[in-house]
Amino acid sequence: MVRRFSHLLAALAVTFALSGAWAQNLDAPRGGVVQIPLATTPGSLMPILPSELASAIINWTMFSPLTAVNPWTNEVEPYLAERYDANEDLTVWTFYLHQGVTWHDGEPLTAEDVKFTFDAIRDPETAATTAPDFRGVVDVEVVDTYTVRVTLEASDGFFADRLSLGGNEIIPKHILEGFDSLYDATEFITRAPIGSGPFKMRNASPGNFYELVANEDFFLGRPFLDGLTFRVVPDGNTRVTQLLTRQLDWVDLEAPQLPSVRNNPNIAVTTFDSLGYQLFAWNLRNPLFQDPRVRIAMTHAVDRRAMANTVSPGLGYVDDVFIPAGVEWVARPDVEYREYDPELALQILAEVGWTPNADGILERDGETFSFYILVDRGDVQREQMGLILQQYFTDIGMDVEYILAERGGRWLEETQQRTFDTRLAAFPLPNLDWAQRLYTCNGPFNSQSYCNEEVDRIFRAVLSTIDREEQSRLLTEVGYVLHADPPNMVLLWRDRMTAHAADVGNIPPNNIKDSMPFSHLLYRQR
């Protein structure tokens, strides 16, 4: 039996897509350009190659995924795939492409391009970020010009969802198949990508700006805008200043920056549940942090509620669970919040063998409890949190260094190579597949090297069903395990904000990155 997702999950996606679309101005004025910042120079303009946030933002305007998360509803819906279905045991997924889609150079996009992309992701030489998501793929078959069948070795109820989360956008076979390695396509990667998305590259100045123009033949309709310009602006406060001086039109906003734009008639602020959190991540390759009791003690050492009130007053909440409250269909595990209690933290550390030496520094077997916190420059909230955390940990006798590094430099390198001691970052959870990506032993974004076989077992069960009630039960069970063996410290479940020029319309209640597949709906009042 084939499961037609027109009557289950995809049906919900289509319903929500329609309601989300009707909430927008679909008779918007045409013309104009919107300017958007990038924190770093994009590492790659080929979406399946290893990259970072800046690449994801710009690539989602130029390349099309098979499925996408609607930024107004946070539901997965078909995108380049007109529809899709799966067999009874969720091991065979079939995607039916929109017909008549063309690449930016006018060539037709077909099932051959999908197979080429998925095979490239599966190739170890590509080192694709999402390669672990394709580890269970047995075969990718072109059924006909517009139909692709993917066979998996095990049930995976989130396979279609996973394709929506970035790094799986389809790339052109007719341009790239002639290269021995995708990395040899340097002009494509750095300056002249060819995609099928709503915008296409006109002029690239790496390190400075990227000018994109509307794709007149975009299969979902010609964008309302004439173009997008992405400007590399590493500093968050500078981005806000440039918004105020009209050099930028849409920026992700941090709470400390809100007073500078509040009550400005030329600026509109959008607040939304980010379904993501700020985190303090331990590198569990480091022997200091491998005992969960140490991680629990360090959690008790931090007054996270006070910190949240300092860096994000009135925006978000603090909890010790790893599924956001906004995902209402998953019941919260019945676990207690770990309150600020430095005496309890020291008691637990003493049980593990860490006691103060003559200088007041925690020591065990001649080794001091020394580590550094790696923070990415440009995120104002995390920069503040890093300094506050350093003080809390110092107060209980830890020797802590604060390192502020460029996101596209040391921070990204140590994250990808998993060599940091600890770091600050943000994890999104737009749908539950993200949890699997983050917390399973081989999860593609598990940079903290967390591995708990019980968590992996439960997630395998989650992937074997599309029954929401069963998924909810299993994900609550995961919550209990993650609470007892925390992979990282939840600092703040964030409400997020963006600020944009008041004459720009159809701004989703979402962050800039996750809005980009729907950038064709942005418009500018003329």
Side-chain angles (χ1 to χ4, degrees):
M1 175 182 175
V2 171
R3 294 179 185 262
R4 295 284 175 184
F5 283 75
S6 58
H7 73 274
L8 196 59
L9 294 181
L12 291 174
V14 172
T15 302
F16 280 122
L18 290 174
S19 62
W22 282 113
Q24 308 315 306
N25 181 359
L26 299 183
D27 189 28
R30 296 187 179 275
V33 173
V34 165
Q35 303 182 90
I36 297 172
L38 302 174
T40 61
T41 296
S44 172
L45 299 179
M46 188 184 300
I48 72 169
L49 296 184
S51 60
E52 56 353 278
L53 179 62
S55 295
I57 290 173
I58 191 171
N59 286 340
W60 255 344
T61 70
M62 298 188 294
F63 295 87
S64 302
L66 290 184
T67 63
V69 176
N70 185 305
W72 284 275
T73 66
N74 287 310
E75 292 290 337
V76 176
E77 62 184 51
Y79 194 89
L80 184 56
E82 189 173 44
R83 60 188 173 90
Y84 53 88
D85 57 40
N87 66 347
E88 183 67 28
D89 68 357
L90 306 176
T91 59
V92 179
W93 290 78
T94 305
F95 298 88
Y96 307 88
L97 306 182
H98 281 279
Q99 299 188 23
V101 180
T102 59
W103 294 102
H104 292 161
D105 62 1
E107 291 295 312
L109 187 155
T110 71
E112 291 287 350
D113 295 297
V114 178
K115 176 175 171 54
F116 176 80
T117 302
F118 287 0
D119 286 347
I121 292 173
R122 297 166 63 202
D123 184 350
E125 293 296 322
T126 305
T129 303
T130 60
D133 292 334
F134 285 78
R135 198 168 284 146
V137 173
V138 174
D139 185 46
V140 181
E141 175 190 359
V142 173
V143 178
D144 59 39
T145 304
Y146 299 109
T147 308
V148 182
R149 181 178 297 131
V150 181
T151 301
L152 312 176
E153 65 182 7
S155 300
D156 187 350
F158 281 97
F159 184 72
D161 294 50
R162 193 171 303 118
L163 298 178
S164 72
L165 298 179
N168 301 312
E169 296 91 310
I170 306 307
I171 58 176
K173 177 182 178 180
H174 71 283
I175 292 175
L176 299 171
E177 67 178 339
F179 291 94
D180 292 336
S181 166
L182 292 180
Y183 292 93
D184 294 337
T186 54
E187 192 69 9
F188 189 109
I189 291 170
T190 59
R191 294 177 178 274
I194 299 295
S196 62
F199 293 91
K200 54 187 179 181
M201 186 68 71
R202 178 172 68 182
N203 184 23
S205 176
N208 298 301
F209 63 84
Y210 298 82
E211 293 180 349
L212 280 61
V213 295
N215 175 9
E216 300 283 345
D217 300 316
F218 182 51
F219 67 97
L220 293 178
R222 195 253 194 220
F224 292 126
L225 293 172
D226 288 334
L228 295 173
T229 297
F230 292 92
R231 301 192 181 280
V232 179
V233 185
D235 181 70
N237 289 326
T238 302
R239 292 194 285 271
V240 174
T241 299
Q242 292 191 2
L243 173 70
L244 293 168
T245 56
R246 303 188 72 84
Q247 298 172 77
L248 293 172
D249 294 306
W250 187 16
V251 303
D252 287 317
L253 197 68
E254 301 294 344
Q257 300 164 334
L258 181 59
S260 63
V261 299
R262 183 190 285 127
N263 301 324
N264 186 318
N266 298 315
I267 305 295
V269 175
T270 300
T271 302
F272 53 94
D273 184 346
S274 70
L275 300 181
Y277 64 95
Q278 295 277 31
L279 66 100
F280 172 78
W282 299 279
N283 186 342
L284 300 182
R285 293 180 175 180
N286 187 325
L288 280 178
F289 310 118
Q290 289 173 355
D291 190 321
R293 291 175 294 175
V294 170
R295 286 173 259 146
I296 291 170
M298 292 178 72
T299 303
H300 283 296
V302 179
D303 191 340
R304 288 172 290 157
R305 290 194 175 114
M307 182 165 61
N309 287 332
T310 298
V311 304
S312 189
L315 292 167
Y317 64 97
V318 182
D319 201 352
D320 277 323
V321 297
F322 295 87
I323 300 296
V327 182
E328 296 178 355
W329 58 273
V330 177
R332 183 189 184 278
D334 184 17
V335 295
E336 290 188 6
Y337 174 75
R338 292 189 171 110
E339 299 284 356
Y340 174 54
D341 191 339
E343 291 185 2
L344 176 59
L346 287 170
Q347 177 185 324
I348 296 171
L349 289 167
E351 292 171 359
V352 184
W354 293 101
T355 55
N357 62 18
D359 297 321
I361 303 297
L362 291 173
E363 185 177 286
R364 183 178 67 181
D365 299 331
E367 176 190 10
T368 58
F369 203 115
S370 302
F371 65 94
Y372 62 85
I373 303 173
L374 187 63
V375 182
D376 52 326
R377 186 188 304 276
D379 187 293
V380 177
Q381 195 175 83
R382 286 199 289 274
E383 288 182 10
Q384 292 179 318
M385 284 180 158
L387 291 169
I388 295 170
L389 287 168
Q390 181 188 33
Q391 187 60 57
Y392 277 125
F393 295 140
T394 299
D395 286 347
I396 64 167
M398 294 178 175
D399 179 22
V400 186
E401 183 181 2
Y402 173 92
I403 297 177
L404 190 62
E406 296 301 325
R407 184 177 181 90
R410 177 176 175 177
W411 184 90
L412 181 62
E413 291 170 4
E414 292 200 25
T415 296
Q416 292 177 336
Q417 297 169 11
R418 305 185 180 190
T419 55
F420 60 90
D421 281 351
T422 69
R423 70 172 187 134
L424 294 192
F427 277 174
L429 282 161
N431 65 43
L432 273 301
D433 181 62
W434 264 98
Q436 181 266 147
R437 286 178 161 217
L438 296 171
Y439 306 130
T440 55
C441 295
N442 294 314
F445 297 146
N446 181 8
S447 60
Q448 64 253 333
S449 298
Y450 178 79
C451 189
N452 184 310
E453 293 298 336
E454 183 66 5
V455 170
D456 279 31
R457 180 194 67 77
I458 299 170
F459 270 116
R460 285 194 294 271
V462 171
L463 296 176
S464 69
T465 180
I466 53 174
D467 181 271
R468 281 292 202 219
E469 194 171 306
E470 178 64 4
Q471 287 177 342
S472 174
R473 184 190 68 77
L474 291 166
L475 289 166
T476 300
E477 186 180 341
V478 166
Y480 284 106
V481 181
L482 292 176
H483 184 265
D485 182 24
N488 49 59
M489 187 193 305
V490 179
L491 301 178
L492 173 67
W493 282 105
R494 300 198 286 181
D495 285 348
R496 292 299 308 272
M497 298 176 291
T498 63
H500 63 89
D503 63 349
V504 178
N506 282 349
I507 295 288
N510 220 309
N511 63 72
I512 290 176
K513 176 182 77 72
D514 293 330
S515 302
M516 287 298 96
F518 293 81
S519 55
H520 58 290
L521 297 179
L522 297 173
Y523 69 89
R524 181 145 227 159
Q525 296 287 355
R526 303 293 287 166

